[in-house]
Structure formats: structure tokens, C-alpha cells
Amino acid sequence: MKELSTIPVPVYVDFDDVLCETARGLIDVIDEHFGRSIEFEDIHSFDLALSFGLDEHELARLMEFAHTADILTAFAPVKGAVETLRDWAGRGARIWIVTGRPPLTEDASVEWLQRYGVPYERLIFVDKYGRFKADVHGAALTLDELSQLPFSLAIDDAPQMALYLSETMHVETVMLDRPWNRGIQLSGSVTRCFNWAEIALLLPSSGFMA
Ligand SMILES: [Mg+2]
């Protein structure tokens, strides 16, 4: 049996807009189904209703589309993400994908991960924004439950998750630069990276086998 200290601490990797180009995919959905054209660089808020100029009903419709397997499996990978994770996994890192998608998207999410050959040990669903109803969305971890898990490094694009990871969970955190997080002041323990080539240079000290 291995000594506990030789087991690497997992790396937290967000799914949407970190591993796959979700916002760009949703722009196409909005164009097709709502007849509205939006530029990626104009998505200035993490609040989709605000960013896309949708009312409550339109947002609900968009989320219905967004959680269907056809849409979820069609998102393109973010450049460099899969290659970097394969490299890290090959060097002994443990990859845990931590998503704010509802658990009912599990099959489509796994299909996407398998299609692109993403190496991962766990796919964890977390109610990151306090929006889920268990009977509708399935059972997800709470933020409190997430905070009990150990991570050596975390990569997310959502400003409030980056703050939670760094300030509440004390995890070294990368915020992948996206138009909706550009106005956010980062605390000292959050690093803004502009692409996966930059993220690839980070070597979480305890995230790899010695
Ligand atoms: Mg995300």
C-alpha cells in the first residue's frame, strides 16, 4: 500500500468554457433559435440573461436547449486543453473535472470527454451557483461538500468560483481569461491565464507523482 504522501492531490478542472467552448456554442444556439446575433467578445457578464439580453422565459428555453445531448456533445474543445491534461495525466496527475452542469447531463458530458480522449479520474457535479432542485436536476454536491475535497490546483472561468476556491478552499487557482471575467479584480492567490499554453507551464507542486 502506498504511503499517503506519495499519492498526488487531484487537479480541479472546470468543464464549460475551460475544457469546451460552451459560450461560443450557445451563441450559435441563440442565433438559430432566437434570431439574435451576439459576439463572443461582447459577453461581459457571467449572467447569461444579462449577457445575451434574454428575458426569464428565453433563458429557461436556452437552458433547455443547452442541456440536451445534441448541443452538449457538439461543443468544440478549448485549444490546448485536452493536450495539456493528457500530458499532466501521463506525468501522474489526477484530473477531477468539477462542473456546475446539472447531473442530468452526465451521459452527454461523459460522451464528450470520451470523444476527445480527456483523461480524468472523476466527473463531479456541484451546485456551484445554488440553482439546482434535486428532483429536477439530480443530486449534486453543495459548495460546502466540495470544500471538503483536496485539490492541488484549480482552473475555472467563473469569477465567483475562482474566489471561492482561492479564499475559502485555499487552493492555488487559475482563472482562464474570458470576456465575462475581465472586469474582476483578482486576489493574490488567483492567477489569470490567457490560454492553455500558459496553464501548461504551471506545475502544481503536489499534483504530480514524485
Ligand atoms: Mg465554466
Side-chain angles (χ1 to χ4, degrees):
M1 190 175 156
K2 282 175 180 164
E3 293 291 326
L4 197 61
S5 61
T6 66
I7 299 174
V9 180
V11 177
Y12 164 127
V13 183
D14 177 38
F15 207 138
D16 292 303
D17 292 301
V18 168
L19 271 182
C20 68
E21 297 282 7
T22 307
R24 292 183 199 277
L26 293 182
I27 283 174
D28 293 341
V29 173
I30 290 172
D31 192 9
E32 184 179 345
H33 295 279
F34 297 76
R36 218 167 295 169
S37 166
I38 294 158
E39 296 294 326
F40 181 75
E41 292 296 325
D42 289 338
I43 306 178
H44 289 306
S45 168
F46 193 70
D47 181 331
L48 291 180
L50 211 61
S51 272
F52 294 148
L54 304 176
D55 65 28
E56 193 185 326
H57 299 290
E58 289 172 321
L59 181 64
R61 257 183 79 210
L62 175 64
M63 284 298 107
E64 253 175 61
F65 284 123
H67 294 150
T68 59
D70 282 355
I71 301 285
L72 283 175
T73 54
F75 293 150
V78 173
K79 191 175 174 216
V82 178
E83 295 82 350
T84 301
L85 294 184
R86 280 201 203 125
D87 174 55
W88 287 0
R91 293 156 67 189
R94 298 166 65 202
I95 313 293
W96 288 7
I97 295 166
V98 183
T99 183
R101 291 180 180 184
L104 60 82
T105 66
E106 182 167 5
D107 289 350
S109 299
V110 168
E111 188 183 327
W112 191 94
L113 293 167
Q114 288 175 345
R115 177 179 300 178
Y116 290 101
V118 178
Y120 69 100
E121 192 178 88
R122 291 181 66 184
L123 170 61
I124 301 171
F125 293 88
V126 178
D127 189 5
K128 293 182 178 179
Y129 312 104
R131 291 193 288 231
F132 294 169
K133 297 184 181 76
D135 56 331
V136 178
H137 300 103
L141 296 189
T142 64
L143 280 178
D144 266 357
E145 288 164 338
L146 173 69
S147 73
Q148 305 305 310
L149 302 178
F151 295 103
S152 55
L153 174 75
I155 307 155
D156 207 306
D157 66 291
Q160 68 194 84
M161 276 313 296
L163 287 175
Y164 187 81
L165 286 155
S166 63
E167 291 184 5
T168 303
M169 293 175 63
H170 306 291
V171 176
E172 183 186 346
T173 301
V174 168
M175 190 157 77
L176 182 60
D177 182 76
R178 295 282 169 173
W180 50 89
N181 63 37
R182 273 180 204 149
I184 306 296
Q185 290 291 327
L186 302 178
S187 67
S189 52
V190 180
T191 305
R192 183 183 295 273
C193 285
F194 288 86
N195 50 54
W196 271 92
E198 283 184 14
I199 297 172
L201 299 176
L202 299 172
L203 299 178
S205 54
S206 53
F208 293 89
M209 298 297 280

